[in-house]
Amino acid sequence: MKRVAVLGGGPAGAFAAERLAAGGLETVLLDSRLAWEKPCGGGVTYKAYDRYPFLLENDVPKRLVTETLLSSPRVGTARLSLRQPLVIYSRYDLNRLLLERAERAGARIERTWVQQATYDGQRWRLETRGGVLETDFCIAATGARNPLRNLGTQWTPSDTMLALGYFVPAQQSHIDICFLPPLEGYIWVFPRCGHLSVGICGKGVPAPLLRARLEAFMRERGISWRGAEFYAHVLPSLETPAWRNNRVAGHGWLAVGDAGGLVDPVTGEGLYYALRSADLASQVVLSNAQATADKPRAYRAWLMRDFILDLALGAGLAKRLFLGKLLFQSVPERMIQLMRRSERFSFLMQDLFAGTQNYLTLKSRLLRNLHGTLLETVVNFLLRRMVPEEIPL
Ligand SMILES: Cc1cc2nc3c(=O)[nH]c(=O)nc-3n(C[C@H](O)[C@H](O)[C@H](O)COP(=O)(O)OP(=O)(O)OC[C@H]3O[C@@H](n4cnc5c(N)ncnc54)[C@H](O)[C@@H]3O)c2cc1C
């Protein structure tokens, strides 16, 4: 393999390009926007910066936030003091950091849009606004709105969440998360350098309704959206069947980040999975252990071992978490009450925030640590029948 093209220069594409170029491959990254303020909270979890310390150790502006308030209108608020802060970036700054690293590693970066990508079994022909480029292999990193339908995941509308919000020129020192049962999603307020990212995500709810609920929340909290920039985007949120058949690779290509649907279906965290999938994809491409034709299978297996099984389990949990009821109250409301009453439950929530508690071991941790009828009821209700299924590679 001589030349690899990375289609898309968001976190997944930029990181894949960095790793491929550093590994000695001729790498070209194509994106017409490059560093841009993508609609996003910009929250980077401990799990992400623990594995990739450069996310913390750099001089790019960012906020490190520990104080978090979780609320729901009928039960009020619970406070969580995170042991490991959430690191919050503007996406322009984060993208620029990653693209500069790719460039320094030797990747060629072209500001152009890929209109079509066709494969003849040996070589890719990429038609861009600037002309035609031929490559041996492609990394699809074109995000959730991937226009190249022959590459990447193939989801149905139920496998996505709508996310919209405002960049508000205001400040606060804590994170807000608000649940609005039975909304399959939540509202967030993330303090960033110089502004707040305030947004709502939800599954199966029309955009005007989501926007009205967000604005009602902002009105109530005294957050004005006058003069604030509005944004809307989609967020992959694959249902359990979609994880089983998810198209993350094919002849001559591997998909990374949102283009592969690789987002936590409970929290909407995608930045870690963008970087992790880019890391794994570049290792597979650079590896001499398989021929080019075998790389898609190897990548699927690596993803499965690394995090897909966990996210697939999370997809089942998301339904119970957002839509379930427990003793006549919604599960998020019960969670807030439990956080106020149980230190152990608060620790568990902190670890879920930090990404250090995965879904595969959640049930055993709950059963090991938390006693009492109510908690056991939670465990059994949330996780019954949720034994990880074998997902065909
Ligand atoms: C509202 C919202 C809030 C979020 N908040 C968080 C959060 O707080 N924390 C978190 O971890 N995750 C969050 N996410 C998820 C996170 O934004 C994504 O998972 C992450 O951006 C995925 O990175 P990516 O590189 O795969 O895709 P993207 O960042 O979307 O990048 C894709 C790139 O591909 C380019 N592209 C597309 N098509 C072409 C083409 N044909 N030719 C050339 N270039 C192309 C685009 O211009 C873009 O730059 C949020 C998502 C949304 C929508």
Side-chain angles (χ1 to χ4, degrees):
M1 194 183 302
K2 288 193 189 121
R3 185 195 273 171
V4 178
V6 179
L7 317 181
F15 198 48
E18 177 191 331
R19 293 280 157 127
L20 291 167
L25 269 183
E26 184 189 341
T27 306
V28 52
L29 179 150
L30 310 164
D31 192 327
S32 61
R33 281 186 285 211
L34 297 175
W36 63 294
E37 194 54 69
K38 189 208 153 181
C40 183
V44 173
T45 58
Y46 170 76
K47 174 176 58 183
Y49 59 79
D50 183 49
R51 189 179 280 273
Y52 303 113
F54 72 87
L55 290 169
L56 198 57
E57 295 156 9
N58 60 64
D59 51 16
V60 171
K62 56 193 163 300
R63 293 277 306 266
L64 274 63
V65 187
T66 50
E67 286 310 297
T68 303
L69 299 183
L70 286 99
S71 62
S72 192
R74 288 201 314 174
V75 292
T77 303
R79 180 180 293 274
L80 206 57
S81 215
L82 303 176
R83 277 166 294 173
Q84 291 107 356
L86 191 71
V87 177
I88 307 178
Y89 281 94
S90 117
R91 279 299 303 273
Y92 176 85
D93 290 333
L94 180 62
N95 282 24
R96 190 166 48 88
L97 168 75
L98 290 158
L99 285 162
E100 284 174 0
R101 286 173 60 91
E103 204 159 26
R104 273 202 303 278
R108 194 172 94 223
I109 294 182
E110 285 190 18
R111 185 181 283 277
T112 191
W113 190 251
V114 181
Q115 289 159 328
Q116 210 175 347
T118 42
Y119 190 53
D120 67 5
Q122 297 287 324
R123 308 258 305 152
W124 284 94
R125 182 185 153 85
L126 304 176
E127 291 175 35
T128 75
R129 285 186 190 144
V132 172
L133 182 77
E134 295 213 342
T135 63
D136 304 298
F137 206 83
C138 274
I139 301 291
T142 36
R145 285 183 175 151
N146 173 22
L148 304 170
R149 298 317 301 160
N150 54 332
L151 304 173
T153 187
Q154 295 170 299
W155 53 51
T156 63
S158 64
D159 297 313
T160 60
M161 274 192 178
L162 188 58
L164 53 86
Y166 291 96
F167 296 126
V168 179
Q171 274 306 323
Q172 70 177 43
S173 56
H174 65 273
I175 294 166
D176 270 306
I177 302 286
C178 178
F179 299 101
L180 300 171
L183 174 71
E184 195 175 347
Y186 59 90
I187 288 175
W188 71 88
V189 183
F190 281 4
R192 289 173 163 190
C193 292
H195 67 275
L196 302 175
S197 171
V198 184
I200 185 168
C201 57
K203 211 172 220 191
V205 182
L209 210 61
L210 276 183
R211 189 170 179 170
R213 297 194 80 174
L214 179 65
E215 289 176 355
F217 167 89
M218 292 171 77
R219 201 176 299 114
E220 190 189 302
R221 301 287 171 111
I223 304 172
S224 168
W225 61 92
R226 188 165 298 156
E229 189 189 332
F230 177 74
Y231 61 76
H233 210 278
V234 283
L235 190 57
S237 176
L238 269 54
E239 302 265 336
T240 309
W243 283 111
R244 285 197 200 101
N245 309 313
N246 193 17
R247 198 179 63 164
V248 289
H251 292 304
W253 64 271
L254 310 179
V256 292
D258 282 14
L262 305 175
V263 173
D264 184 321
V266 179
T267 62
E269 178 182 12
L271 290 169
Y272 170 76
Y273 298 102
L275 299 185
R276 186 69 190 138
S277 57
D279 188 357
L280 295 176
S282 39
Q283 287 182 50
V284 168
V285 170
L286 290 167
S287 165
N288 293 323
Q290 324 90 18
T292 303
D294 295 329
K295 292 194 183 290
R297 195 166 47 84
Y299 178 54
R300 276 186 224 114
W302 285 28
L303 281 180
M304 194 64 70
R305 268 200 305 275
D306 202 279
F307 63 78
I308 281 197
L309 207 52
D310 196 51
L311 296 189
L313 187 62
L317 179 62
K319 289 267 174 266
R320 289 206 171 89
L321 183 72
F322 290 118
L323 307 178
K325 282 210 173 235
L326 188 66
L327 299 177
F328 313 110
Q329 230 162 358
S330 74
V331 173
E333 289 169 332
R334 286 285 179 220
M335 273 172 30
I336 287 166
Q337 291 170 331
L338 279 172
M339 275 169 54
R340 286 201 294 249
R341 278 170 210 157
S342 158
E343 199 179 28
R344 285 183 184 207
F345 195 77
S346 284
F347 283 153
L348 172 75
M349 290 300 288
Q350 291 199 34
D351 290 346
L352 283 168
F353 256 80
T356 48
Q357 173 59 60
N358 64 19
Y359 302 124
L360 288 167
T361 57
L362 181 60
K363 179 176 181 178
S364 57
R365 177 169 172 190
L366 280 164
L367 290 172
R368 216 175 39 248
N369 289 306
L370 304 175
H371 305 293
T373 318
L374 179 60
L375 296 180
E376 284 186 7
T377 314
V378 175
V379 176
N380 289 331
F381 174 81
L382 279 177
L383 298 167
R384 78 198 130 117
R385 292 196 305 274
M386 288 184 56
V387 179
E389 290 179 45
E390 190 66 34
I391 299 183
L393 299 182

